Amino acid sequence: MTYRSIYNNDELLARLRRIRHVALDMDGTIYMGQSLFSWTKPFLEGLKKAGIGYSFLTNNPSKSIADYLSKLHKMGIEATRDEMYTTALAAIDYIKTHLPEARKLFLLGTPSMISEFETAGFVSAADSPEDRPDVIVAAFDMTLNYDRLCRAAWWVSQGVPYIATNPDRVCPTDQPTVLVDCGSICACLEHATGRRPDITLGKPDPNMLTGILTRHGLQPDQIAMVGDRIYTDVEMAHNAGAMGVLVLSGETTIAIADQAERQPHLIAENIATLGELLQQAHRG
């Protein structure tokens, strides 16, 4: 199977002809671990030639944009800040839109992530009962400190607005360990306080794509969300009214895809197949 769609061929090409931007999951879609797929560079070059923009999306907020750009650079991809969108940026955009008076944040996150919020103009609340934050942000914190976890629980119990950057319970790894992710940290806080986050961003929440749509002035049917997971990437596309493209170069097999309640609009072997279809559609 090279590709499969819920549309017939003419409908698929018509839908692809509307695409002006491609949102790309990273691990399993453009690379695997530390290895760039051979078809990634030609795919990106093809998008540029067709006048189609693209962004790289990740649910992992533990690294700053600069860190992600450095990783892509080492793989041979020259990307810009405007082409990266993490759940840290989604949280920043959400706070600025929905809580515009907020300035002081209590952040459960890595120093790299915290630097992203400070660059955006926010300040970090001290670990003190006297320094009440405007918002609590819980994230994938690999530097988690027990005292800060307890302070976060205190502010959560006091009704401070509370945002989670992503729902992931664990972060994928090929090492013999379990990387406890944001969803599990929030479960700990819920068990201690009885309160869940007011909103959980990251895939499959549509706010991840809403931020990109707003940045580029796009309508939902002008963006394709491409990734290797049904329950995050494709589900977010459905939630945002965008086109959901599943690639089989990562986690999901066709057998798993067949069992999904909401089917991808397109299933492709990899992004090279999508690139060929986009070129065909835009030539038409």
Side-chain angles (χ1 to χ4, degrees):
M1 185 202 76
T2 303
Y3 71 90
R4 188 176 80 190
S5 176
I6 63 171
Y7 306 115
N8 65 39
N9 191 62
D10 289 343
E11 290 171 337
L12 175 62
L13 293 179
R15 184 75 193 268
L16 289 171
R17 204 168 292 126
R18 287 277 299 158
I19 299 301
R20 292 291 176 269
H21 198 91
V22 177
L24 291 159
D25 173 55
M26 299 176 73
D27 208 346
T29 302
I30 65 168
Y31 58 69
M32 183 65 76
Q34 301 299 317
S35 302
L36 190 72
F37 290 132
S38 61
W39 50 75
T40 297
K41 282 188 183 180
F43 172 77
L44 297 178
E45 290 165 3
L47 291 182
K48 287 181 179 178
K49 288 178 182 177
I52 299 172
Y54 56 84
S55 300
F56 301 110
L57 271 69
T58 176
N59 260 18
N60 186 340
S62 64
K63 296 181 176 63
S64 67
I65 298 298
D67 290 337
Y68 277 114
L69 293 179
S70 175
K71 178 174 181 176
L72 290 173
H73 172 75
K74 290 174 183 176
M75 291 183 171
I77 296 178
E78 299 304 326
T80 66
R81 284 190 64 89
D82 288 342
E83 291 168 345
M84 274 295 317
Y85 203 67
T86 70
T87 48
L89 291 187
I92 288 167
D93 287 345
Y94 182 87
I95 294 169
K96 287 185 173 181
T97 300
H98 298 278
L99 300 163
E101 302 303 315
R103 289 292 177 270
K104 186 182 295 184
L105 310 179
F106 192 88
L107 296 156
L108 285 183
T110 62
S112 183
M113 186 204 81
I114 290 172
S115 71
E116 203 66 58
F117 281 84
E118 292 174 344
T119 298
F122 295 102
V123 296
S124 294
D127 185 0
S128 164
E130 280 76 47
D131 198 18
R132 184 183 181 93
D134 299 315
V135 182
I136 304 154
V137 179
F140 175 33
D141 188 0
M142 294 178 288
T143 59
L144 186 62
N145 172 278
Y146 181 73
D147 289 342
R148 287 186 60 77
L149 180 65
C150 293
R151 182 66 59 207
W154 169 249
W155 291 128
V156 168
S157 72
Q158 297 305 298
V160 173
Y162 171 28
I163 294 171
T165 58
N166 56 295
D168 306 60
R169 291 177 300 167
V170 298
C171 182
T173 179
D174 57 1
Q175 298 302 306
T177 187
V178 174
L179 298 180
V180 175
D181 209 325
C182 180
S184 297
I185 292 171
C186 291
C188 174
L189 291 171
E190 181 185 352
H191 202 64
T193 67
R195 184 180 169 200
R196 294 181 178 181
D198 302 330
I199 186 168
T200 300
L201 301 170
K203 300 176 284 186
D205 185 271
N207 278 288
M208 277 288 279
L209 280 185
T210 301
I212 293 177
L213 293 173
T214 301
R215 280 186 174 192
H216 299 283
L218 299 168
Q219 296 300 312
D221 66 346
Q222 292 179 306
I223 190 168
M225 176 62 220
V226 186
D228 68 316
R229 292 181 178 182
I230 289 273
Y231 57 91
T232 54
D233 303 310
V234 174
E235 195 64 17
M236 179 174 64
H238 282 299
N239 292 342
M243 184 175 190
V245 181
L246 175 73
V247 289
L248 302 177
S249 51
E251 176 181 308
T252 305
T253 64
I254 193 65
I256 293 173
D258 286 340
Q259 298 172 16
E261 183 176 343
R262 293 204 284 185
Q263 284 290 301
H265 298 100
L266 173 66
I267 301 175
E269 292 286 350
N270 51 56
I271 54 175
T273 303
L274 173 62
E276 293 166 4
L277 288 168
L278 282 168
Q279 289 178 26
Q280 183 181 348
H282 283 262
R283 281 198 302 267

